[in-house]
Amino acid sequence: MEELELELKQEIIKVLNLEDMTPDDIETDAPLFGEGLGLDSIDVLEIIVLLEKKYGIKLANPAEGKGIFKSIATIADYVSKNRKK
Amino acid sequence: MRKNIVITGAGIVSAIGCSKGEVTRSLLERRTGIGEMQYLESVHHELPVGEVKMSSEEMKRRLGIDAAKEVSRTVLMGMMAVEQALKEARVERKDGRRILLVSGTTVGGMDLTERYYGSFFESDEHLDCMKTHDCGSSTQQIAERFRLFDDSTTLSTACSSSANALMLGARLIETGQADIVVAGGTEALTRFHLNGFNALMILDRQQCRPFDATRAGLNLGEGAAYVVLESETAARERGAEIQAWFSGSGNACDAFHQTASSDNGEGACLAMKEALESAGLSPKDIDYVNAHGTGTPNNDLSEGVALQRVFGTEMPPVSSTKSFTGHATSASGSIETVICLLAMQQGFIPANLGWQHPIEGGITPTLGQEGCRLRHIMCNSFGFGGNDTSLILSAEAPLGRKETVANEERTVEVAARVEITDEAALTEIKNYVKPMEARRLGRILKSALLSSLKALEEAGVETPDAIITATSLGCLENSVQLLNQLRDEGEQGLKPTWFMQSTHNTIGSAVAIHTGCHGYNATYTHGEDSLKWALADAEMLIRSGRARSVLVGLHDETTPEFCDIMSRLGKRDLKPLHSIAMVLTCGE
């Protein structure tokens, strides 16, 4: 799981252009949205594209992402259970 | 006294018909034009669209254009609609009058560009298509066909483009800069924006259901519509039939988000209030509102709140005719204006198809009415970036129309001017924009924001009264990245951030969002004349007293791919990046 979490951090930094950040700057359990890292609705769409391309996971509705995208830990958990590749 | 502006002709090409008669019949028979795609070459057949039921080949045949000639569908539909409008208004010769074409589009010649994009790097065979890629050249091709127009211009404010074209047309006549303006817009469906909207996850896989609690997004459409505008006096002098009065208009910016409307619908509310005020009408005078009503969860909720703020307990019947036509993006404003004109002339209120379940606390749309007399109709068009425009048509001359006389004593001064041509200068953006905001800005957005914020600082203006942008190619880097992605990866998983920042008005909206400017916001994209038009518009705003400070910007960029193509077409020395931001102020 730690390996997947690190991979997700690296991918998210890349697709969201978090220019000056390294994986160490993102806490695995910290909230990604709002008060946490401060991501927004466009980032949700980017993460949805990322999940589809890298892990073959299709989300039909951005609202589905709400529960899944709380933190790196919750995304990693969802990916490990639902990945197609 | 302020000149009354009238409509003396109209033309329409849409999913529910290619003439006023056909469209009226479809509306009265409640026949939608949304269905499975027949003409767009896309893999996404699961997405219903509102296509014009005619191949481009058939359009060329009707227009007498050589079948072998490559002409964008945007241009073909535009030509058909302009032809109808001119014919109806009986404008055939110039007779010493100054006649202009003002058109709105965002996609322009993208249908041809995306078809041949891959081949551009292998051979020169289809390279000429790139000469007509930009929005301005679409308008010029339409204008040239009629040998009637003294000049033309193009507005691109995404889904409110053609509504802003109508608004500008009326202002040009009011200020004596034109005698007749043919104003409207045209937009063909493309894989480019179908996949872009799909990446933003705002397309419904079923028929769209505006204002329904179960709505799940919009269906894209296409089409064109234009009206002939002139002063009431001039129309009477030449014996033209007056179809309606163009009695009011309002343009405001939500200044909230690039692709979402604010919860309180601030921009929409301001645009509607301004339209009412300019027409000298109160909310109770409006007999019908043709809503923007796209069918996305966000738009319909926000627009409903804005409508409730404006109309309160006196809500007139409201419907979204996008349930018939699909969302024809840039052309939707003029298509819906012509639909309002038909409703007024024939005495009916178009239905809001597919509505069943009320949104909690939202508005309830009308399911259609016949045999009604509509004196004043409001038509809303809202675009990405919060470019919100509201228009009012009247069946009679508006009596209390607000007088905004241009004052020749008001002079226009350049209070500040900042130019950026060097990409290295963009590192300074960090002094103005937070890292979380700067991270996703493309090069041109950084350059536009930086030059604008520095110019405002130099002029001592925190928030300008209006923002007017000129750009010939818009956010080209993002558009090229999307074209590369479509070519290399096919129609799946387009990068949402790139699409969100690929419309021309992304630039002006980004500045509005950053400075909290809710005032007038427009984007001109008419080749090398873009800046000339932006400055002329700013001058009109200042001289009429509507604005005391206007931020005008010229922003353009190129990419290596684009420079390669253009140099093969003989156009060299394109600047990789160029921004000029000016603050114009009133110096009475």
Side-chain angles (χ1 to χ4, degrees), chain B residues 94-164:
Chain B
K94 287 166 71 87
D95 294 335
R97 292 169 301 196
R98 186 168 162 76
I99 307 178
L100 304 183
L101 176 66
V102 179
S103 188
T105 191
T106 301
V107 166
M110 182 60 89
D111 58 326
L112 293 182
T113 304
E114 69 180 15
R115 180 178 302 159
Y116 297 120
Y117 186 71
S119 83
F120 293 158
F121 306 99
E122 286 154 17
S123 83
D124 288 352
E125 194 187 345
H126 298 291
L127 212 55
D128 274 351
C129 291
M130 280 306 284
K131 285 185 188 162
T132 56
H133 165 80
D134 70 293
C135 297
S137 77
S138 296
T139 307
Q140 277 158 357
Q141 286 176 79
I142 298 169
E144 279 160 18
R145 173 182 174 84
F146 299 95
R147 301 172 190 279
L148 194 67
F149 296 104
D150 292 283
D151 203 354
S152 61
T153 190
T154 312
L155 280 150
S156 189
T157 53
C159 302
S160 58
S161 301
S162 57
N164 280 321

Side-chain angles (χ1 to χ4, degrees), chain B residues 538-549:
Chain B
E539 198 173 322
M540 271 194 282
L541 289 178
I542 290 174
R543 286 202 193 278
S544 68
R546 235 192 108 184
R548 294 191 60 85
S549 59

Side-chain angles (χ1 to χ4, degrees), chain B residues 77-97:
Chain B
M77 295 189 302
M79 285 175 172
M80 286 168 63
V82 169
E83 195 160 275
Q84 290 171 33
L86 287 170
K87 200 173 165 193
E88 205 178 67
R90 293 187 293 111
V91 177
E92 287 129 15
R93 288 190 306 276
K94 287 166 71 87
D95 294 335
R97 292 169 301 196

Side-chain angles (χ1 to χ4, degrees), chain B residues 340-372:
Chain B
C340 291
L341 184 68
L342 295 170
M344 187 171 272
Q345 290 178 316
Q346 310 286 329
F348 72 97
I349 294 178
N352 188 102
L353 298 179
W355 184 87
Q356 284 182 314
H357 313 92
I359 300 171
E360 204 185 319
I363 58 149
T364 300
T366 173
L367 300 180
Q369 287 174 39
E370 284 181 40
C372 34

Side-chain angles (χ1 to χ4, degrees), chain B residues 271-491:
Chain B
M272 287 188 268
K273 282 183 174 168
E274 190 195 338
L276 285 167
E277 198 187 326
S278 78
L281 296 172
S282 60
K284 66 175 176 5
D285 295 319
I286 299 296
D287 298 315
Y288 163 56
V289 178
N290 185 298
H292 186 55
T294 58
T296 64
N298 170 253
N299 176 83
D300 295 3
L301 195 62
S302 172
E303 187 174 8
V305 170
L307 283 164
Q308 284 166 334
R309 284 176 65 190
V310 173
F311 291 97
T313 53
E314 304 190 68
M315 187 71 68
V318 177
S319 71
S320 164
T321 46
K322 287 186 177 70
S323 55
F324 286 89
T325 60
H327 187 359
T329 49
S330 290
S332 65
S334 56
I335 286 177
E336 287 155 29
T337 300
V338 173
I339 287 175
C340 291
L341 184 68
L342 295 170
M344 187 171 272
Q345 290 178 316
Q346 310 286 329
F348 72 97
I349 294 178
N352 188 102
L353 298 179
W355 184 87
Q356 284 182 314
H357 313 92
I359 300 171
E360 204 185 319
I363 58 149
T364 300
T366 173
L367 300 180
Q369 287 174 39
E370 284 181 40
C372 34
R373 184 165 166 257
L374 304 173
R375 288 187 312 148
H376 306 286
I377 299 181
M378 176 181 274
C379 185
N380 285 343
S381 300
F382 309 145
F384 275 175
N387 279 160
D388 297 342
T389 298
S390 183
L391 308 176
I392 298 176
L393 296 189
S394 297
E396 57 199 47
L399 297 173
R401 220 163 150 250
K402 201 175 121 190
E403 215 164 332
T404 46
V405 186
N407 186 339
E408 289 307 317
E409 282 175 20
R410 291 195 189 107
T411 56
V412 178
E413 290 174 0
V414 180
R417 185 183 186 279
V418 173
E419 188 165 2
I420 295 175
T421 52
D422 181 8
E423 201 171 336
L426 300 184
T427 50
E428 216 189 319
I429 192 81
K430 290 187 175 157
N431 303 338
Y432 292 86
V433 174
K434 288 185 197 122
M436 278 307 270
E437 192 185 339
R439 70 186 160 115
R440 65 161 70 111
L441 297 176
R443 199 177 41 171
I444 193 170
L445 290 183
K446 281 188 181 142
S447 158
L449 261 178
L450 182 60
S451 56
S452 300
L453 296 174
K454 286 180 89 164
L456 288 168
E457 195 175 63
E458 205 178 299
V461 173
E462 201 171 321
T463 306
D465 293 338
I467 296 173
I468 306 177
T469 308
T471 179
S472 60
L473 290 154
C475 303
L476 191 70
E477 187 180 39
N478 282 340
S479 298
V480 168
Q481 279 169 319
L482 291 165
L483 282 164
N484 288 342
Q485 214 188 348
L486 279 168
R487 178 194 60 197
D488 302 337
E489 298 168 30
E491 294 182 69

